[in-house]
């Protein structure tokens, strides 16, 4: 009971502090572009914001659980997704400097028309919708079992408090609080790892040698993550919105640093799962390790979840607001921006009260957007508009084949968990690239 009281205090006090510290946006540039005194975010601020906005509650929970399942190989496999930052940093630099584009939507509308931009907008809106409930549910689980009153109240209070400071400053608030949350995350991670290596019966060598570097035990996921990193970042506006705030050079440097440092953070967090594996623990690795080390470490782990979930949630609210107001030009003003944040907070919380497992199966996964790979990788290739639709729609088809377990087994060339994920992506991306370029050959 005492632990729950401390958990409530952590949520309420930390959210109120962020609310009072957050800058108040007084114009659209501050709210949608994070301009402060007519200055864009520095490289340090942008790097910190990028890392923490992607180290969300769901991802560090997954990292710990993959450490539990596969040893350190699981953590490295999941960290493969952080190649996304490097890919996005380099390609968006080229889009801005060589192409002269001011946003992803500007690029897509110019090259492929308004229909392509509309389809892309639907994909990223679904992604943002999914981000809300998938992160808040992780917080709910620390307060009570799914479906209990404590579980629901924790989610509602946490979402409302995060929405309050996001509404206050928009993207300015998001980036400002991201830096505070990044510092907190780093300190809390050091405390947790310190407890694992001092109180736990495990050494750095044992952690480094844990797991097996085989396809069956982690490498299927690793290679799938690497392949998806060429499309995944472009359907995440939390990431791409930050690629157009500072100068192209500052942005590219920040994205490359975020790629390396973000991957390191994920691998280090997976050490919690490696320790859980060495102790024969079952279930949610982070929760079980927290319980094993006592109330203080459990609260530290809980706080790291709150910190990471809040950073993702406020970024999601800001990105949805910018999508509607700026990218889709529905109302570039503070009132509309704040109203759209409230709308995504309410809509994104509804699945919590439904069967979220069923809903999660229908959301746009990393596989469903593999059709974006050639669109951005070959951005400078002058292809007809039909190329966009052929590639993106075929990516969606492969995503649904994976979703409904209907991908031919003969085409899955490795064994073990995530083998289907890997090979659907291999064959899917090959198909998308061929279909993207094919109209160019036919034209000739």
């Amino acid at each position: 009971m005492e632990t729950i009281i401390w958990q409530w205090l952590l949520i309420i006090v930390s959210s109120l502090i962020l609310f009072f510290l957050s800058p108040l946006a007084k114009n659209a540039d501050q709210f949608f572009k994070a301009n402060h005194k007519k200055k864009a975010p520095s490289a340090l601020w942008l790097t910190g914001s990028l890392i923490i906005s992607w180290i969300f509650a769901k991802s560090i929970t997954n990292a710990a659980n993959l450490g539990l399942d596969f040893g350190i190989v699981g953590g490295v496999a999941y960290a493969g997704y952080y190649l996304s930052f490097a890919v996005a940093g380099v390609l968006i630099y080229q889009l801005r400097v060589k192409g002269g584009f001011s946003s992803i939507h500007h690029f897509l509308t110019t090259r492929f028309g308004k229909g392509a931009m509309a389809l892309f907008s639907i994909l990223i809106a679904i992604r943002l919708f999914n981000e809300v409930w998938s992160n808040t549910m992780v917080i709910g689980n620390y307060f009570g079992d799914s479906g209990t009153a404590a579980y629901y109240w924790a989610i509602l209070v946490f979402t409302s408090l995060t929405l309050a400071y996001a509404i206050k400053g928009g993207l300015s608030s998001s980036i400002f609080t991201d830096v505070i949350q990044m510092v907190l995350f780093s300190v809390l991670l050091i405390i947790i790892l310190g407890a694992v290596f001092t109180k736990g019966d495990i050494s750095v060598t044992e952690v480094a040698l844990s797991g097996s570097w085989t396809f069956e035990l982690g490498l299927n996921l690793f290679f799938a993550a690497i392949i998806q990193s060429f499309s995944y970042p472009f359907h995440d506006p939390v990431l791409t919105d930050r690629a157009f705030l500072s100068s192209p050079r500052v942005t590219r440097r920040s994205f490359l640093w975020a790629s390396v440092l973000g991957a390191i953070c994920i691998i280090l967090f997976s050490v919690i799962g490696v320790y859980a594996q060495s102790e024969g623990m079952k279930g949610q690795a982070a929760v079980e390790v927290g319980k094993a080390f006592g109330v203080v470490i459990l609260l530290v782990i809980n706080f790291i979840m709150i910190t990471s979930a809040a950073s993702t949630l406020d970024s999601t609210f800001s990105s949805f607001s910018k999508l509607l107001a700026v990218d889709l030009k529905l109302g570039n003003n503070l009132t509309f921006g704040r109203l759209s944040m409230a709308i995504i907070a309410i809509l994104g919380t509804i699945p919590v009260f439904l069967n979220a497992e069923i809903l999660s199966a229908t959301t746009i996964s990393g596989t469903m957007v593999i059709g974006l790979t050639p669109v951005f990788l070959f951005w400078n290739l002058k292809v007809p508009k039909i190329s966009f639709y052929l590639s993106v729609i075929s990516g969606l088809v492969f995503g649904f084949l994976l979703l409904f377990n209907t991908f031919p087994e003969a085409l899955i060339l490795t064994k073990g968990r995530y083998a289907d994920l890997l090979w659907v992506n291999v064959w899917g991306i090959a198909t998308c690239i061929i279909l993207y370029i094919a109209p160019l050959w036919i034209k000739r």
Side-chain angles (χ1 to χ4, degrees), residues 50-67 74-82 85 127 131 134-136 138-139 142 185 221 232 236 262-263 265-273 284-286 304-305 307-309 311-312:
L50 283 166
I51 296 168
I52 196 65
S53 64
W54 249 44
I55 300 179
F56 36 96
K58 198 74 176 169
S59 69
I60 56 179
T61 300
N62 286 341
N65 288 341
L66 285 165
V76 172
Y78 201 62
Y81 279 105
Y82 284 75
F85 281 118
R127 156 88 185 186
E131 284 296 292
S134 65
N135 276 283
T136 57
V138 175
I139 299 300
Y142 279 83
F185 177 88
L221 178 62
Y232 198 87
D236 184 5
C265 286
I266 285 295
I267 293 167
L268 288 176
F269 204 86
S270 72
V271 170
I272 294 168
Q284 294 288 322
I304 212 168
M305 292 295 176
T307 300
S308 54
S311 68
T312 304

Side-chain angles (χ1 to χ4, degrees), residues 172-354:
S172 290
S173 271
S174 184
I175 287 182
F176 177 80
T177 54
D178 280 351
V179 175
I180 297 171
Q181 288 156 338
M182 185 65 218
V183 172
L184 265 175
F185 177 88
S186 305
V187 171
L188 296 171
L189 182 58
I190 290 166
I191 292 169
I192 294 165
L193 291 176
V196 167
F197 288 116
T198 55
K199 294 182 183 178
D201 187 23
I202 194 168
S203 66
V204 175
T205 307
E206 284 174 290
V207 168
L209 296 176
S210 64
S212 174
W213 295 88
T214 61
F215 279 96
E216 291 86 345
L217 296 175
L219 290 186
N220 280 325
L221 178 62
F222 175 74
F223 288 112
I226 296 297
I227 292 168
Q228 284 189 357
S229 292
F230 288 89
S231 56
Y232 198 87
F234 299 105
H235 92 299
D236 184 5
V238 166
L239 184 149
T240 55
D241 284 350
R242 284 160 170 74
F244 293 91
L245 300 176
S246 303
S247 72
R249 281 193 175 185
V250 165
T251 302
R252 183 176 61 180
R253 187 161 73 245
S254 297
F255 271 68
L256 292 173
W257 272 111
S259 188
V260 175
L261 297 175
I264 290 169
C265 286
I266 285 295
I267 293 167
L268 288 176
F269 204 86
S270 72
V271 170
I272 294 168
V274 177
Y275 172 73
Q277 184 192 59
S278 73
E279 294 294 307
M281 295 177 185
K282 304 288 180 191
Q284 294 288 322
V287 177
E288 296 308 314
V289 170
K291 286 176 182 174
F293 284 141
V295 175
V296 174
I297 296 299
L298 181 61
L299 287 171
V300 169
I301 291 174
N302 188 9
F303 196 26
I304 212 168
M305 292 295 176
I306 292 168
T307 300
S308 54
S311 68
T312 304
L313 208 54
D314 64 46
S315 299
T316 301
F317 295 153
S318 300
S319 291
F320 184 78
S321 177
K322 179 182 172 288
L323 171 66
L324 296 189
V326 180
D327 297 327
L328 299 180
K329 298 180 171 63
L330 297 179
N332 192 355
N333 59 71
L334 294 180
T335 305
F336 184 82
R338 286 175 171 139
L339 180 64
S340 54
M341 281 187 175
I343 289 168
I344 189 66
I346 294 164
L347 291 178
T349 304
I350 291 170
V352 168
F353 299 92
L354 306 172

Side-chain angles (χ1 to χ4, degrees), residues 73-220:
V73 184
V76 172
Y78 201 62
Y81 279 105
Y82 284 75
L83 176 64
S84 295
F85 281 118
V87 170
V90 170
L91 292 178
I92 292 176
Y93 176 85
Q94 292 177 355
L95 282 173
R96 291 178 69 183
V97 174
K98 295 179 182 176
F101 298 109
S102 59
S103 69
I104 299 290
H105 281 73
H106 180 206
F107 162 65
L108 292 175
T109 308
T110 306
R111 283 289 166 85
F112 304 106
K114 288 186 176 177
M117 188 265 283
L119 175 59
F120 176 75
S121 297
I122 292 167
L123 295 183
I124 64 175
I126 294 170
R127 156 88 185 186
L128 291 170
F129 167 74
N130 183 35
E131 284 296 292
V132 177
W133 63 264
S134 65
N135 276 283
T136 57
M137 281 171 65
V138 175
I139 299 300
N141 282 320
Y142 279 83
F143 287 81
D145 294 331
S146 181
T148 60
Y151 169 84
Y152 290 132
W153 275 113
I155 289 171
L156 292 172
V157 170
F158 174 71
T159 306
S160 302
L161 289 170
T162 307
L163 177 64
Y165 75 75
I167 275 179
K168 185 181 175 186
L171 195 55
S172 290
S173 271
S174 184
I175 287 182
F176 177 80
T177 54
D178 280 351
V179 175
I180 297 171
Q181 288 156 338
M182 185 65 218
V183 172
L184 265 175
F185 177 88
S186 305
V187 171
L188 296 171
L189 182 58
I190 290 166
I191 292 169
I192 294 165
L193 291 176
V196 167
F197 288 116
T198 55
K199 294 182 183 178
D201 187 23
I202 194 168
S203 66
V204 175
T205 307
E206 284 174 290
V207 168
L209 296 176
S210 64
S212 174
W213 295 88
T214 61
F215 279 96
E216 291 86 345
L217 296 175
L219 290 186
N220 280 325

Side-chain angles (χ1 to χ4, degrees), residues 14-45:
S14 62
S15 299
L16 288 174
I17 289 171
L18 291 177
F19 176 81
F20 288 114
L21 290 178
S22 292
L24 173 65
K26 294 176 182 175
N27 56 53
D29 272 0
Q30 289 175 352
F31 195 84
F32 297 114
K33 296 180 182 176
N35 277 358
H36 182 62
K37 294 180 180 175
K38 296 186 178 178
K39 284 185 180 178
S42 67
L44 186 65
W45 279 60

Side-chain angles (χ1 to χ4, degrees), residues 355-371:
N355 188 339
E357 280 71 32
I358 290 174
L359 191 74
S360 66
T362 63
T363 55
I364 301 299
S365 68
T367 302
M368 287 183 178
V369 294
I370 56 173

